[in-house]
Amino acid sequence: MKKLTLLLCLIWVGQVHAQTVITNIPGRNTFTLNGKWHYIIDPYETGYYDYRYKPYDANPHPYGGFFLDQHQTNKTQLIEYNFDKSPTLWVPGDWNSQDEKLLYYEGSIWYRKLFDYKKSNPNDRVFIHFGAVNYESDVYLNGKKLGKHIGGFTPFNYEITDLLKKDGKNSLVLKVDNKRHKEGVPTLNTDWWNYGGITRDVDVVEVPQTFISDYYIQLKKGSQKDVAGYVKLNGPNAANQTVQVSIPELKINKTFTTDENGKAAVDFQLKKAELWSPKHPKLYKVTVSNAGQSVSEPIGFRSIETKGTDILLNGKSMFLRGICIHEEMPMRGGRAYTESDARTLLNWAKELGCNYVRLAHYPHAENMIRLADKMGILVWEENPVYWTIDWSNPGTYKNAEHQLTDLITRDKNRASVIIWSMANETPVSDARTNFLRKLTQHARSMDSTRLISAALEVHGNNNRYDRIVEDPFAQYVDIINFNEYVGWYDGLPEKCDSINWIIKYNKPVMVSEFGGGALQGLHGDSLTRWSEEYQESIYKHTLPMLMKIPQFRGVTPWILCDFRSPKRVLPVTQDGWNRKGLIGQNGTKKKAFFVLQKFYKKMEEKDK
């Protein structure tokens, strides 16, 4: 039985990623499939399984399987679905916020998009690329299965060159299933809304027969002038090819040769380059070329490291003035997916005085990271290993590793990203620590330049005022981060004045979460729960408390905006919203916003 379980896990993992993710989609020849898609709600998965619960794609049936996108050819034909007559949803977007009856829906929905496509070059290859689909997707083109993807926040793509119709409409069908699973990443229990659907951009990507699929061009660890990385080609002529890397503004034009696997090591020096920083977010146009093709994008160069208890950006110690952000738009509700959404959230962070954001608790949309590059905001990115993951399940680990791989693959050239977070609030055990240790090793094998962290938990002892940060995983991270809620889940705000922090690590210490709930517009005294004054009091008492920690080098209070959560059920006050935001669901700032803003202004003055 154990062997069978392991085999099923490996088969399941093997279905997750059929093809390597193509990077820098914005810099390529693309055709968008965003817009209205027809959809069918299918809670019993009638379009996927027959009445014996056998999948149609493994047991073809002339009338079964919604992915066939069939239509009646004569009046006697029995077909019990019709995409053309079904309603539509906007893509990208979640289904929960687009249709009131789908607000709490967890299950399968079929999406269908018809499109024409003619290649600009008859010899080119064509891929279909999804920015993200939550959580599990089965993808079909013209009735043929392209693959299955598992994981709701990372990109994936499939080659469709030989499946495109030369004439007529192509039918792209997805079965999207957002049901939660014990063995999933994240698992059954979370504290955010389980938004289902095709939540990010869908693009048709056209590339040459042998194309530049990926590249990594960043400063070496500890250096402010030495660039190292690679360029990867994909295709029949990938081996022993010359590739060029150019930065015109710096008069750099270097040539390298791919090995037998189509990968070329890149190594050169920057001369008189302006390093990227929050105050001066300088980006250079970097172009990678091969055999008449080229891919360009803006890339910044900066160094990030720790020394003792300091965080060094470009060799200078800094304090990270941050805030946590969920990928959600409070006024509209639902997933934040447009560049305008990202700009609204990051502008609020800048107004608060932030030079840093923690994007919780999963990879956010790529436009958020690219905008942070432009705006000069440092970024923590997080793998959705949250709370009580199935630590001993090999399939669960592979799932987490795949999601981390795709996150790093997508964002490894973003100067703003300085921290890869492995997890949030995970209970200590040998299985959990080994799980996170392996993820850390994997992250460093892909990217040795960035810092590793995780949001750890706080423990107490016999002294009611002692708070201890001690975790076996701490030895593997570069920065000690922990979540604490003194004044909300742990006593009243004034308790902060008496807390004694016991943190023995000679590493930088940051607080990845603190805060408390307030209903925007509800007022009372500083001891009235849910009032803006109570939340304000938490901030007034917490910030001086944290400043007493000798290694304290940054903070990301929880959280920028109120966000939806099915766990928050208190009528009138919560109504399905987590109220810990500094900004209410209506976009109005609460009183605590200005307490933190004032604190950050003082910290910024100290950094000058």
Side-chain angles (χ1 to χ4, degrees):
M1 188 64 188
K2 288 182 179 179
K3 289 182 179 179
L4 177 60
T5 301
L6 178 59
L7 177 61
L8 290 173
C9 285
L10 294 175
I11 291 172
W12 175 76
V13 169
Q15 290 180 316
V16 177
H17 291 263
Q19 297 174 351
T20 303
V21 175
I22 301 171
T23 58
N24 188 18
I25 298 301
R28 298 180 184 272
N29 179 17
T30 61
F31 174 78
T32 183
L33 295 183
N34 292 350
K36 289 184 177 181
W37 291 50
H38 288 278
Y39 75 96
I40 298 172
I41 304 171
D42 190 15
Y44 281 17
E45 298 186 305
T46 303
Y48 190 77
Y49 296 104
D50 66 17
Y51 79 112
R52 300 297 188 193
Y53 213 65
K54 294 180 179 178
Y56 282 121
D57 55 11
N59 300 276
H61 187 279
Y63 305 138
F66 291 177
F67 53 87
L68 295 174
D69 190 13
Q70 295 190 96
H71 301 81
Q72 269 193 328
T73 56
N74 64 72
K75 64 183 181 181
T76 67
Q77 191 175 8
L78 176 63
I79 299 176
E80 296 186 89
Y81 68 95
N82 188 313
F83 278 110
D84 292 339
K85 295 180 179 180
S86 297
T88 59
L89 288 168
W90 282 100
V91 171
D94 60 273
W95 64 55
N96 314 76
S97 62
Q98 294 190 58
D99 189 331
E100 188 175 353
K101 69 176 178 288
L102 297 175
L103 179 62
Y104 283 93
Y105 182 69
E106 292 184 307
S108 289
I109 286 184
W110 293 83
Y111 284 76
R112 198 282 312 268
K113 181 76 169 181
L114 297 179
F115 67 98
D116 291 309
Y117 190 79
K118 292 190 182 298
K119 294 193 287 185
S120 57
N121 184 320
N123 295 319
D124 280 355
R125 297 163 66 186
V126 183
F127 290 77
I128 188 80
H129 181 277
F130 300 89
V133 179
N134 190 40
Y135 169 74
E136 181 177 317
S137 59
D138 293 87
V139 186
Y140 305 84
L141 183 68
N142 298 325
K144 304 294 184 182
K145 188 165 189 174
L146 302 179
K148 176 191 287 289
H149 181 266
I150 296 173
F153 308 100
T154 52
F156 60 99
N157 48 247
Y158 300 103
E159 184 164 8
I160 59 173
T161 307
D162 297 330
L163 295 176
L164 284 169
K165 291 182 179 179
K166 293 182 180 179
D167 296 299
K169 297 285 187 181
N170 293 281
S171 171
L172 179 61
V173 176
L174 278 75
K175 182 176 83 73
V176 181
D177 185 350
N178 72 330
K179 288 193 295 289
R180 291 164 292 126
H181 302 277
K182 179 179 182 294
E183 70 278 9
V185 181
T187 186
L188 289 168
N189 193 22
T190 72
D191 190 12
W192 67 83
W193 210 266
N194 184 23
Y195 290 111
I198 305 173
T199 56
R200 296 180 191 159
D201 295 334
V202 183
D203 292 290
V204 176
V205 185
E206 187 170 335
V207 294
Q209 277 285 316
T210 297
F211 68 98
I212 301 161
S213 62
D214 188 21
Y215 50 88
Y216 179 38
I217 301 170
Q218 290 282 278
L219 289 173
K220 288 182 181 178
K221 186 75 172 179
S223 176
Q224 295 182 26
K225 63 178 182 178
D226 295 319
V227 173
Y230 59 80
V231 175
K232 290 176 69 174
L233 300 181
N234 179 309
N237 299 311
N240 303 313
Q241 298 292 311
T242 58
V243 296
Q244 294 79 36
V245 176
S246 65
I247 310 176
E249 190 174 343
L250 296 176
K251 296 180 171 57
I252 291 173
N253 189 10
K254 301 292 183 181
T255 300
F256 308 95
T257 304
T258 61
D259 60 18
E260 65 275 12
N261 298 312
K263 185 175 182 179
V266 169
D267 194 349
F268 61 89
Q269 282 195 342
L270 297 178
K271 295 180 180 179
K272 298 181 181 179
E274 182 180 344
L275 297 181
W276 185 98
S277 71
K279 292 181 180 178
H280 303 285
K282 175 63 179 178
L283 300 173
Y284 291 95
K285 181 182 178 180
V286 177
T287 300
V288 180
S289 307
N290 163 257
Q293 64 174 307
S294 63
V295 181
S296 300
E297 66 175 320
I299 293 178
F301 299 97
R302 55 97 192 98
S303 67
I304 186 72
E305 57 191 324
T306 63
K307 184 177 181 181
T309 61
D310 282 332
I311 300 169
L312 305 179
L313 180 71
N314 300 329
K316 296 180 180 178
S317 179
M318 73 178 306
F319 184 89
L320 300 184
R321 310 184 306 273
I323 192 71
C324 292
I325 299 177
H326 258 302
E327 191 182 55
E328 189 168 322
M329 276 303 293
M331 292 90 75
R332 185 187 70 230
R335 276 275 170 254
Y337 55 84
T338 68
E339 184 172 334
S340 176
D341 292 339
R343 190 174 298 278
T344 296
L345 294 170
L346 292 181
N347 276 338
W348 276 333
K350 289 283 269 190
E351 184 182 351
L352 190 56
C354 295
N355 58 11
Y356 166 65
V357 294
R358 177 189 178 212
L359 302 183
H361 284 294
Y362 39 77
H364 287 215
E366 185 174 3
N367 54 34
M368 185 72 148
I369 319 304
R370 288 180 176 269
L371 190 58
D373 262 16
K374 295 176 184 177
M375 293 178 64
I377 300 176
L378 297 162
V379 174
W380 154 313
E381 292 209 76
E382 191 160 295
N383 207 23
V385 177
Y386 184 88
W387 288 358
T388 51
I389 291 291
D390 191 355
W391 306 112
S392 299
N393 187 324
T396 300
Y397 174 78
K398 282 296 183 183
N399 184 357
E401 185 182 274
H402 276 306
Q403 293 191 53
L404 181 60
T405 296
D406 286 348
L407 171 61
I408 295 174
T409 298
R410 190 192 73 180
D411 292 339
K412 61 186 176 298
N413 288 313
R414 303 281 72 80
S416 55
V417 178
I418 59 168
I419 296 173
W420 302 124
S421 171
M422 300 297 103
N424 177 78
E425 291 181 353
T426 52
V428 174
S429 70
D430 289 344
R432 164 268 196 183
T433 302
N434 187 52
F435 188 107
L436 299 185
R437 177 188 59 79
K438 291 194 314 186
L439 280 182
T440 298
Q441 290 175 338
H442 179 69
R444 288 197 167 117
S445 72
M446 291 189 67
D447 174 22
S448 63
T449 68
R450 287 175 176 82
L451 307 176
I452 300 293
S453 194
L456 307 178
E457 293 186 300
V458 175
H459 308 283
N461 60 16
N462 293 330
N463 186 331
R464 63 182 294 227
Y465 294 114
D466 282 351
R467 294 296 176 272
I468 303 166
V469 180
E470 188 173 22
D471 191 307
F473 182 59
Q475 64 182 300
Y476 302 109
V477 303
D478 298 297
I479 302 176
I480 305 297
N481 270 275
F482 63 90
N483 299 350
E484 66 85 11
Y485 284 94
V486 180
W488 186 249
Y489 298 120
D490 181 5
L492 300 176
E494 288 187 357
K495 187 175 182 179
C496 295
D497 305 343
S498 302
I499 294 296
N500 174 45
W501 290 99
I502 302 173
I503 307 172
K504 297 181 179 179
Y505 302 104
N506 184 37
K507 296 182 178 184
V509 168
M510 295 174 59
V511 175
S512 36
E513 291 182 25
F514 82 81
L519 178 62
Q520 190 281 318
L522 178 64
H523 295 286
D525 61 26
S526 61
L527 292 177
T528 300
R529 289 271 181 174
W530 305 109
S531 70
E532 289 193 36
E533 287 73 18
Y534 190 102
Q535 185 189 49
E536 178 186 42
S537 180
I538 289 176
Y539 277 73
K540 285 182 175 180
H541 286 277
T542 298
L543 293 168
M545 172 187 71
L546 299 180
M547 289 296 290
K548 296 175 185 177
I549 300 172
Q551 312 99 309
F552 185 50
R553 295 297 180 270
V555 60
T556 48
W558 188 261
I559 185 171
L560 181 65
C561 302
D562 288 355
F563 61 95
R564 285 191 180 276
S565 172
K567 293 180 74 70
R568 309 298 176 165
V569 298
L570 181 63
V572 181
T573 303
Q574 291 177 313
D575 289 332
W577 290 78
N578 187 310
R579 298 297 186 188
K580 295 187 181 72
L582 296 178
I583 298 173
Q585 72 184 80
N586 58 1
T588 301
K589 299 175 182 69
K590 305 174 191 178
K591 296 181 75 172
F593 182 99
F594 302 101
V595 176
L596 186 61
Q597 185 184 57
K598 183 178 179 181
F599 172 76
Y600 280 166
K601 189 173 183 179
K602 289 181 180 178
M603 296 305 294
E604 186 176 10
E605 289 296 324
K606 284 186 178 182
D607 272 352
K608 288 182 179 179

